[in-house]
Amino acid sequence: MRHVAIEALLPGSDPLTVFERLKDFERYPAHTDAVREVTVRTEPDGTLLSEWSVNFRNGELRWSERDTVDTENLALRFEQVDGDFERFDGAWTVLGTGDDTTVRFAADFDLGMPSLERIIDPIAERTLRENISAILVGLLGDTLVFVTAMDADDLQTTGG
């Protein structure tokens, strides 16, 4: 099982505005070539079901997830219900800090390939970090400051 966490600060921003941008999953492909397509439908209880297609190495990963929008706490929780991962779940959280906004992404994943996990999982983790970083820069702009440690290669490939 792998864990990925990214935290970024957006100076002079409104947390609710940032949250509204984050929850618009269908716009993600416009902000990074890594995300091919996202379709979202709303269930009668308000839960969102989203279907994702993303580039991974020379192929594609596909999954569907149940997304819970908690506007009161500015949190988006997701849990894979079907797809290429054995497990993929986590959350986006948005916090107001004075005049700034902090965005956190945290997820746990398992590709379910025990014999290849030492090779594939680190690549998947790096790709996920790069993709999330690119989405954040695309959605929120280049004034975004990454708080979590990222190496120069990560920032270079995400445009940050």
Side-chain angles (χ1 to χ4, degrees), residues 2 113-123:
R2 289 279 187 165
M113 295 183 252
S115 62
L116 297 175
E117 73 183 16
R118 292 182 57 194
I119 298 167
I120 299 294
D121 284 4
I123 295 167

Side-chain angles (χ1 to χ4, degrees), residues 126 130 150-160:
R126 181 178 174 89
E130 291 172 354
M150 298 182 69
D151 65 33
D153 291 338
D154 288 343
L155 293 174
Q156 194 172 47
T157 60
T158 62

Side-chain angles (χ1 to χ4, degrees), residues 7-28:
E7 184 173 317
L9 179 74
L10 186 60
S13 59
D14 172 59
L16 185 56
T17 301
V18 169
F19 181 75
E20 291 297 321
R21 287 184 193 162
L22 281 177
K23 76 177 193 178
D24 190 2
F25 301 135
E26 290 177 309
R27 288 188 55 215
Y28 285 25

Side-chain angles (χ1 to χ4, degrees), residues 30-44:
H31 299 290
T32 176
D33 292 337
V35 179
R36 293 181 179 192
E37 182 180 18
V38 182
T39 57
V40 179
R41 70 178 194 271
T42 305
E43 295 293 294

Side-chain angles (χ1 to χ4, degrees), residues 65-114:
E65 64 186 40
R66 179 172 294 108
D67 303 296
T68 305
V69 178
D70 181 353
T71 304
E72 183 177 328
N73 294 302
L74 301 180
L76 300 165
R77 291 175 189 77
F78 60 91
E79 179 181 5
Q80 176 186 284
V81 293
D82 188 37
D84 292 335
F85 292 95
E86 180 75 20
R87 176 184 171 193
F88 183 49
D89 55 57
W92 291 91
T93 54
V94 177
L95 305 162
T97 352
D99 291 334
D100 304 330
T101 299
T102 299
V103 178
R104 293 181 182 145
F105 172 86
D108 294 312
F109 74 90
D110 182 352
L111 290 171
M113 295 183 252

